[in-house]
Amino acid sequence: MSVRIDIAGLRPDRIAVVTSPLAELGMALHALSEPGHHPGLQGWVAGVNARLDSHLADRMCEADFLWRSTFSDLFLPFAGVAGRSTLPGATLAEDLDLLDKLTDEQFVDAAMEFTCALPYCSRGSSTLSDPEVRRRALELAASRGPRQVRFTERLLADPPKIRDWLRQFVRDCDEAFFADTWSRLRHQLAADARHKTDLLLRRGLAEALEAVSPTVTLDEEAATITVDKLGSGRSATADGGLLLVPTSLGWPHLSVLHRYGWQPVLHYPVGSPELAAPPSVEQLALRMTALSHPVRMRLCRHLARSAYTTGELARVHGMTAPEISRHLGFLKKAGLVTTRRRGRYVLHQLDVTVVARLGSDFLEGILR
């Protein structure tokens, strides 16, 4: 499973690494509504909530499906502007002006993403113009609760009014907490953008993408960028550009905007607390499968305490050496067991560091 971006014909001058205050505000709202995804931000979340006006907190709940369960593309409006080569604004006000450049159909369809009523990476009918899509969207909104229904009905009845609501809401969030947060984060994000731009110019796109995340790879021959995610999707730069947008509040989420007709965007986390490169989704699945077998679980219990030979493990578990070897081979392939030679003996031991990381790796893998 992965998201692939076809970059055939992409000109180097159409690749940009740039910050976006509106994109970071979207991540701030997500972190406030889903603090469990962001344990490193608990202090910041508590501080914001402590001084948040109750009226603004209520409004934050009114449309939290735009940032809680999905990352609405409304927070990356520059990607939807005609020409597919627009850069984010330097200020929040400029980003909001770009939001106004989206058509009503683009605005509504992006806002309705939480209903999954429309195809995302292929052409489909607009919710505003297709009665059947509108009906299905309202049904899906109803299954998610009364707030979602009310918002959807208002959005479909009067898109400009919801535009005004969202613009004022963003301004109020900026005044209440985001302006202070952005003043601290923008220098870090700008420095990361400069670093990635330098890599792009000096070493090329492949190394710049690797610096974004080891889970992002470039196949130069196929002219394809692949992002390892627990999900599938596709996009193409076509005659447009490619944007890399850093986020500090967004870790561990590596988001890929691959909406049909929009400029592809990699919204990637910086300042990650991880100490090692994250495993691929395939490697993570392999490790979880390896540990799910009762025999291998018992082997791990012994191997976590000391190093053993295959023969020793066979005697302890009442199995044959070939049977133990097969289980050890599975654990080694998953990267959970290391081996070393001592004279004529080969010793196996559990890599406790890798196993300890599985909790955070699993969380990162499913949230990526």
Side-chain angles (χ1 to χ4, degrees), residues 26-36 38 41 44-45 67 249:
M27 284 299 182
L29 291 168
H30 171 71
L32 289 169
S33 62
E34 286 287 2
H38 308 271
L41 295 177
W44 176 81
V45 169
W67 50 79
L249 298 176

Side-chain angles (χ1 to χ4, degrees), residues 261-283:
W262 289 42
Q263 182 177 194
V265 179
L266 291 177
H267 196 197
Y268 67 92
V270 301
S272 162
E274 61 185 341
L275 300 177
S280 68
V281 170
E282 181 182 3
Q283 184 77 349

Side-chain angles (χ1 to χ4, degrees), residues 18 61 76 100 152 194 200 202 215 234 280 320 348:
V18 62
C61 294
L76 304 166
D100 291 340
T152 301
R194 287 193 298 271
L200 188 63
R202 294 176 180 273
T215 64
R234 64 188 185 277
S280 68
T320 66
H348 311 282

Side-chain angles (χ1 to χ4, degrees), residues 12-268:
D13 63 319
R14 286 292 186 93
I15 308 171
V17 191
V18 62
T19 63
S20 166
L22 183 57
E24 194 67 359
L25 175 56
M27 284 299 182
L29 291 168
H30 171 71
L32 289 169
S33 62
E34 286 287 2
H37 290 190
H38 308 271
L41 295 177
Q42 288 180 356
W44 176 81
V45 169
V48 171
N49 285 332
R51 64 178 189 273
L52 199 62
D53 174 78
S54 59
H55 179 58
L56 181 58
D58 288 342
R59 290 160 63 204
M60 200 174 288
C61 294
E62 187 176 349
D64 66 352
F65 38 84
L66 294 179
W67 50 79
R68 180 189 289 273
S69 57
T70 60
F71 301 122
S72 174
D73 293 339
L74 293 179
F75 291 94
L76 304 166
F78 41 85
V81 176
R84 305 207 300 174
S85 59
T86 300
L87 299 179
T91 65
L92 192 60
E94 291 178 8
D95 265 349
L96 286 173
D97 288 342
L98 293 175
L99 185 63
D100 291 340
K101 291 182 180 294
L102 300 181
T103 65
D104 280 349
E105 287 76 13
Q106 285 180 302
F107 182 88
V108 170
D109 291 347
M112 294 294 293
E113 183 183 338
F114 74 95
T115 68
C116 304
L118 293 165
Y120 185 80
C121 51
S122 60
R123 184 188 294 275
S125 300
S126 170
T127 317
L128 285 180
S129 59
D130 189 319
E132 177 57 26
V133 175
R134 177 188 291 250
R135 182 195 62 77
R136 180 166 174 249
L138 285 167
E139 284 183 358
L140 291 167
S143 71
R144 286 156 174 77
R147 282 206 314 260
Q148 287 83 340
V149 174
R150 288 194 295 270
F151 180 87
T152 301
E153 289 173 343
R154 290 165 54 204
L155 176 65
L156 294 174
D158 194 350
K161 189 172 183 178
I162 296 298
R163 283 181 186 264
D164 292 341
W165 179 93
L166 183 60
R167 175 182 277 272
Q168 188 58 54
F169 172 73
V170 166
R171 286 172 172 167
D172 291 345
C173 287
D174 187 48
E175 182 179 350
F177 65 88
F178 185 69
D180 290 341
T181 301
W182 180 247
S183 69
R184 291 185 288 103
L185 296 180
R186 64 187 179 91
H187 301 294
Q188 174 202 16
L189 297 179
D192 185 84
R194 287 193 298 271
H195 171 63
K196 299 295 192 300
T197 300
D198 186 61
L199 278 177
L200 188 63
L201 296 174
R202 294 176 180 273
R203 302 290 184 87
L205 180 58
E207 288 206 25
L209 292 175
E210 185 179 359
V212 163
S213 171
T215 64
V216 183
T217 56
L218 171 66
D219 184 333
E220 295 190 30
E221 186 175 343
T224 301
I225 294 171
T226 300
V227 186
D228 186 44
K229 291 176 70 70
L230 278 170
S232 301
R234 64 188 185 277
S235 182
T237 53
D239 58 349
L242 172 69
L243 293 181
L244 281 59
V245 179
T247 170
S248 179
L249 298 176
W251 186 90
H253 303 297
L254 172 59
S255 305
V256 187
L257 190 160
H258 53 285
R259 179 180 292 275
Y260 179 82
W262 289 42
Q263 182 177 194
V265 179
L266 291 177
H267 196 197
Y268 67 92

